[in-house]
Amino acid sequence: MVLVIKNINKYIDYIQDPNDTFEEYLKKAKEYNVRCVFADPDEIDTARQVLEGTDIIIAGAVDFPQGKLSLKDKLADFKKLADLGIKEIDYVLNQAQIESRDYNNILTEMKEIADFSRTYGVADKAIVEMCKLDQEAKKSICEIALKAKPAFLKTSTGRSFGGATVEDVRLMKSILKDEVKIKAAGGIKNYDFACELIKAGANVLGASAALDIIEGERCASS
């Protein structure tokens, strides 16, 4: 039985296909009316011009996909984007701290960025590579997020060996409840899988296959 999610386009943070120019990417985003696109600082004006008259969010990214910057440098990059009017920012948690299970510093980073983001009216999306963690570490990161209160906890950069899974999203939802939203990303290629992730608790999906997912809804509805 197919799980039917209506208007799935508005769940999708659309990732640019490297074969598309930025203008082609924006035109596709506009045609399919996705939730969100991503722009570098020097692309923001172009994005605003092309997407004028839509409700598509223009988002930015910090320390993506490496997760190597210091907290000070991350906050400086957050401020640059916030000053440019960006209202959603995806960032990668410090990977060395994640791999060493340095939970105190992970909490400090997540909380300081969340506090900064609330002050500037930004929705922060903290990314952890769930595929690299065992169950206990996954639970610990979710419990930290529950304390720090980022706007979103995100399952993956989409650049590692694994991406979003229904099981991880269910685990995240069981801990985060409605306190922190969930963004599932990595390996979301079709409408059925996208629906399963949403049913499991994902609020937003990061996908380069946005157009295929949206077309999948159209086929399922016809």
Side-chain angles (χ1 to χ4, degrees):
M1 179 179 176
V2 176
L3 301 170
V4 177
I5 300 291
K6 298 293 187 182
N7 302 316
I8 203 162
N9 53 304
K10 284 305 182 184
Y11 285 87
I12 300 175
D13 288 4
Y14 180 27
I15 310 303
Q16 182 177 348
D17 184 325
N19 295 314
D20 287 340
T21 66
F22 188 62
E23 289 77 10
E24 288 170 339
Y25 164 60
L26 294 174
K27 288 175 182 176
K28 289 178 180 179
K30 187 174 182 178
E31 178 185 353
Y32 282 82
N33 193 25
V34 297
R35 176 185 180 275
C36 171
V37 297
F38 290 88
D40 291 333
D42 61 351
E43 297 171 327
I44 292 170
D45 286 344
T46 299
R48 285 179 175 144
Q49 289 170 8
V50 174
L51 300 176
E52 185 176 4
T54 76
D55 64 352
I56 298 171
I57 297 163
I58 301 168
V62 166
D63 199 12
F64 183 95
Q66 294 84 5
K68 292 181 179 179
L69 292 181
S70 68
L71 174 55
K72 180 181 177 181
D73 287 342
K74 278 180 177 167
L75 287 169
D77 285 351
F78 259 76
K79 188 172 188 308
K80 289 176 186 174
L81 290 174
D83 287 345
L84 290 169
I86 293 297
K87 295 300 183 185
E88 290 196 3
I89 301 173
D90 292 43
Y91 77 97
V92 183
L93 290 164
N94 187 286
Q95 289 302 290
Q97 293 171 4
I98 294 287
E99 290 173 15
S100 65
R101 311 298 192 255
D102 185 357
Y103 295 134
N104 287 334
N105 279 319
I106 294 166
L107 174 59
T108 296
E109 176 176 86
M110 208 186 295
K111 188 174 187 312
E112 288 202 25
I113 289 175
D115 289 346
F116 171 92
S117 297
R118 279 189 286 271
T119 299
Y120 279 80
V122 170
D124 54 320
K125 300 176 193 154
I127 308 171
V128 59
E129 299 286 12
M130 296 291 276
C131 62
K132 294 183 178 181
L133 305 179
D134 59 26
Q135 287 300 106
E136 287 307 309
K138 290 175 184 180
K139 291 177 183 177
S140 295
I141 295 298
C142 290
E143 287 162 359
I144 288 169
L146 199 57
K147 294 177 183 176
K149 295 289 196 300
F152 291 83
L153 187 63
K154 179 177 170 184
T155 63
S156 172
T157 60
R159 304 287 183 88
S160 189
F161 60 83
T165 69
V166 170
E167 293 74 19
D168 281 346
V169 172
R170 283 183 183 142
L171 173 66
M172 294 164 76
K173 186 66 174 178
S174 73
I175 296 170
L176 299 173
K177 309 295 185 185
D178 295 325
E179 297 295 312
V180 177
K181 293 179 181 179
I182 297 165
K183 178 173 174 178
I188 309 172
K189 302 295 185 183
N190 59 66
Y191 175 66
D192 287 351
F193 185 40
C195 289
E196 288 180 22
L197 291 167
I198 293 168
K199 292 282 189 179
N203 304 95
V204 168
L205 308 174
S208 57
L211 278 53
D212 291 336
I213 294 167
I214 296 165
E215 290 291 351
E217 179 191 349
R218 294 174 181 176
C219 291
S221 302
S222 62

